[in-house]
Amino acid sequence: MKHVLLLSAGNPCRAIVAEALSNKYITSREPISIIGAGMSNDGTINPYVMKALEEEGVDITTLKPKMMEDVMQESFDLVVTLCDHSKENCPVFPSPVSTIHMGFPVIEDDEAACKELVVKVKTKLVPIIQNELA
């Protein structure tokens, strides 16, 4: 099984969107585990992100923000940093791991920006991860 970590500074938007869309659209011959986590978060998900993901056909009932500390015990094959902060502060992993950086802007309470994030993750990030896992 391949394990992918999608890491962001917080976790109300970028990591949630990246996890949800990667799990929806990435296919693999072998099982994959794709987890989004934040370096910090307040336990909430941006409601506009939830709406945009629901419009994309994602089952939002299972989405939960996760902290980096919650997933650090796992061994990852690929780590994707989703913002400059997570790139600059990415933890050191016990074993070598491939990393990719694709920075996305901070999304506040802006419905249009959340929809744009969904489109960018789906059209730009998901194909990159798919290619790395091939």
Side-chain angles (χ1 to χ4, degrees), residues 100-121:
I100 297 172
H101 174 68
M102 180 169 262
F104 294 96
V106 172
I107 305 294
E108 299 296 335
D109 290 331
D110 182 341
E111 186 172 4
C114 289
K115 287 182 178 186
E116 184 178 331
L117 176 65
V118 167
V119 170
K120 285 183 178 177
V121 167

Side-chain angles (χ1 to χ4, degrees), residues 6 21 33 37 39-40 48 70 102-103 109:
L6 307 165
L21 295 179
S33 169
M39 300 181 89
S40 66
Y48 293 125
D70 298 336
M102 180 169 262
D109 290 331

Side-chain angles (χ1 to χ4, degrees), residues 83-134:
C83 63
D84 291 340
H85 180 79
S86 62
K87 178 184 178 188
E88 294 162 5
N89 297 287
C90 189
V92 175
F93 294 91
S95 57
V97 60
S98 295
T99 59
I100 297 172
H101 174 68
M102 180 169 262
F104 294 96
V106 172
I107 305 294
E108 299 296 335
D109 290 331
D110 182 341
E111 186 172 4
C114 289
K115 287 182 178 186
E116 184 178 331
L117 176 65
V118 167
V119 170
K120 285 183 178 177
V121 167
K122 180 180 174 182
T123 61
K124 296 181 189 294
L125 179 63
V126 167
I128 290 171
I129 296 171
Q130 177 76 58
N131 188 51
E132 282 291 318
L133 295 175

Side-chain angles (χ1 to χ4, degrees), residues 2 26-30 32 78 127-134:
K2 296 220 177 183
I26 291 176
T27 59
S28 177
R29 283 176 262 138
E30 65 180 285
I32 54 175
L78 177 64
I128 290 171
I129 296 171
Q130 177 76 58
N131 188 51
E132 282 291 318
L133 295 175

Side-chain angles (χ1 to χ4, degrees), residues 58-69:
V58 172
D59 176 7
I60 62 170
T61 61
T62 60
L63 297 178
K64 293 184 174 121
K66 294 172 226 44
M67 291 287 295
M68 182 180 62
E69 292 82 22

